[in-house]
Amino acid sequence: MTRVRARFWWALVVGLRVSVVSFAAENTPHQTVGVVENLPVFQIQAMARVSYPMAWNANRGEDFAAWRARVRERVKLRLLAPPPSAPWDAVIVGEEDRGNYVARKIVFNLTGDSRVFAYYLVPKRAGRSPAVLIQHSHSGRFEVGKEKVVRPFGVPPEKLAAAEALVAREYEGRFYGDELAKRGYVCLVIDALNFSDRGGAGGSGQAALASNLMHAGMSLAGLMAWEDLRAAEFLAQQPEVDPARIGAMGMSMGALRTWQLAALSDRIQAAAAICWMTTAKSLMQAGNNQTVTQSAYTTLHPGLLGELDYADFASLACPKPMLFFNGREDPLFPQAGVEEAYAKLRAVWDSQGAGGQLVTRTWPGPHVFTIAMQEATFAWLDEALASRAP
């Protein structure tokens, strides 16, 4: 009986101790809260420690071409494992006459892993034409991808309606891929993984998709970059295309894909990036889209932001003609971050005597690509690629 009582009192004392320790852990000033509004409480300190050591710095005295070659290879390592290649084996599966150009739906082996549908717009003209690889946006809409920039045909009514609604909201009702084709450009646009004909995970499954690719030694953003490199190579090999006059263009996520492609591919001679350029630090604010949604998985390369900021990465495209537009009231990209990134870009292009090849501008308005912005971009692209003509 005495032994039973002793055990009882000992259990009571231990229980009280656990309670006291637990209470102390929750209330001691030595314990910090872990996460607030999706951000670690040490986010500011962590970002302050990042110095972007691989960024171009004219004061180091390093040859720019050598820096670009070295850092480009480093970036490609951060894209993680590339998919295998395969013969294109392209087939036309649909065609629509659109006046002075033809819209084709094609299917080809983008990689050894993925055979994909694409829209391929070809002007009705003799000889080879300049071309644009168009990168579609994210926009939080997964039922459409390539259909965000080229008017779809042979699709269910609901897909056409979704495409028209997005284009009305973001592009003032104009499919700008079709506009480029009217102006004499061959245009190619593919679906990024998880969009339109390559869909499946949607918005709720983006993180799971990215995680599952990581288990295979790949990343979602890296795969998109590798696929864009393959698409540029495919476009350059088409008989209708002048390989010396290939541009890239995109808005939002498509803009990031555009400038990173220009940074990594010698096939791209000029590029226009609409509504995606800023600093990493400016995005790490409570409530910013990058901190509250899973869309960041389409833009983040593991470890790269510890070495290069976004503008540093884009600077690998120097001295190519590059255009960057942002909206002044765009809630996704704080204006201060945009201006800081533009200043970084300007410093690099100026350091190489190529300041005239860089256009940076903020426009009134939010996260949109208005007709006025489109017209300015098309005029710039005409000049940039015309200067590359033989």
Side-chain angles (χ1 to χ4, degrees), residues 80-343:
L80 302 190
S85 61
W88 304 120
D89 190 19
V91 177
I92 299 172
V93 295
E95 190 169 281
E96 185 172 87
D97 191 312
R98 294 186 175 176
N100 68 338
Y101 69 100
V102 175
R104 294 173 181 161
K105 184 177 286 187
I106 64 173
V107 61
F108 69 101
N109 295 323
L110 180 60
T111 71
D113 291 332
S114 298
R115 187 166 175 81
V116 303
F117 287 114
Y119 280 123
Y120 184 59
L121 310 183
V122 182
K124 296 178 181 177
R125 59 191 294 181
R128 292 175 178 260
S129 300
V132 178
L133 179 59
I134 305 175
Q135 319 283 37
H136 70 74
S137 66
H138 189 290
S139 305
R141 300 299 298 268
F142 298 89
E143 70 274 39
V144 284
K146 58 190 178 298
E147 299 84 6
K148 295 173 182 178
V149 292
V150 171
R151 177 175 287 279
F153 65 96
V155 298
E158 57 270 20
K159 176 167 277 194
L160 176 60
E164 289 177 333
L166 183 140
V167 167
R169 184 176 74 246
E170 297 187 354
Y171 310 133
E172 289 195 327
R174 190 155 80 169
F175 289 87
Y176 70 83
D178 291 277
E179 288 299 316
L180 281 167
K182 288 178 187 176
R183 294 164 189 256
Y185 289 94
V186 174
C187 296
L188 175 70
V189 57
I190 63 171
D191 294 319
L193 186 63
N194 198 32
F195 291 87
S196 188
D197 292 313
R198 302 180 72 195
S204 61
Q206 289 178 104
L209 174 61
S211 172
N212 292 333
L213 281 167
M214 286 282 188
H215 283 82
M218 306 171 77
S219 78
L220 180 56
L223 175 62
M224 289 167 61
W226 286 122
E227 290 186 342
D228 290 340
L229 285 163
R230 285 280 293 170
E233 190 63 31
F234 173 80
L235 183 58
Q237 293 183 25
Q238 299 315 296
E240 302 88 358
V241 172
D242 179 353
R245 290 188 291 162
I246 299 178
M249 182 176 171
M251 178 195 167
S252 194
M253 180 188 78
L256 179 140
R257 293 168 61 198
T258 291
W259 57 248
Q260 76 177 4
L261 178 62
L264 297 175
S265 173
D266 292 330
R267 288 296 193 182
I268 303 301
Q269 282 82 43
I274 314 301
C275 293
W276 215 115
M277 177 47 65
T278 188
T279 64
K281 292 178 182 179
S282 72
L283 294 180
M284 291 298 98
Q285 307 295 329
N288 184 274
N289 188 63
Q290 286 285 96
T291 70
V292 299
T293 74
Q294 298 180 25
S295 63
Y297 284 107
T298 64
T299 65
L300 292 174
H301 303 296
L304 187 59
L305 283 173
E307 300 171 337
L308 296 169
D309 205 349
Y310 297 117
D312 303 322
F313 185 170
S315 294
L316 293 170
C318 180
K320 295 177 185 178
M322 295 288 291
L323 177 145
F324 296 87
F325 285 167
N326 277 73
R328 213 166 292 150
E329 290 78 46
D330 188 338
L332 305 183
F333 297 93
Q335 187 66 21
V338 172
E339 294 296 344
E340 185 179 345
Y342 281 1

Side-chain angles (χ1 to χ4, degrees), residues 21-40:
V21 170
S22 175
F23 176 80
E26 293 173 1
N27 293 277
T28 178
H30 301 295
Q31 172 70 31
T32 58
V33 177
V35 180
V36 175
E37 295 189 82
N38 292 338
L39 293 166

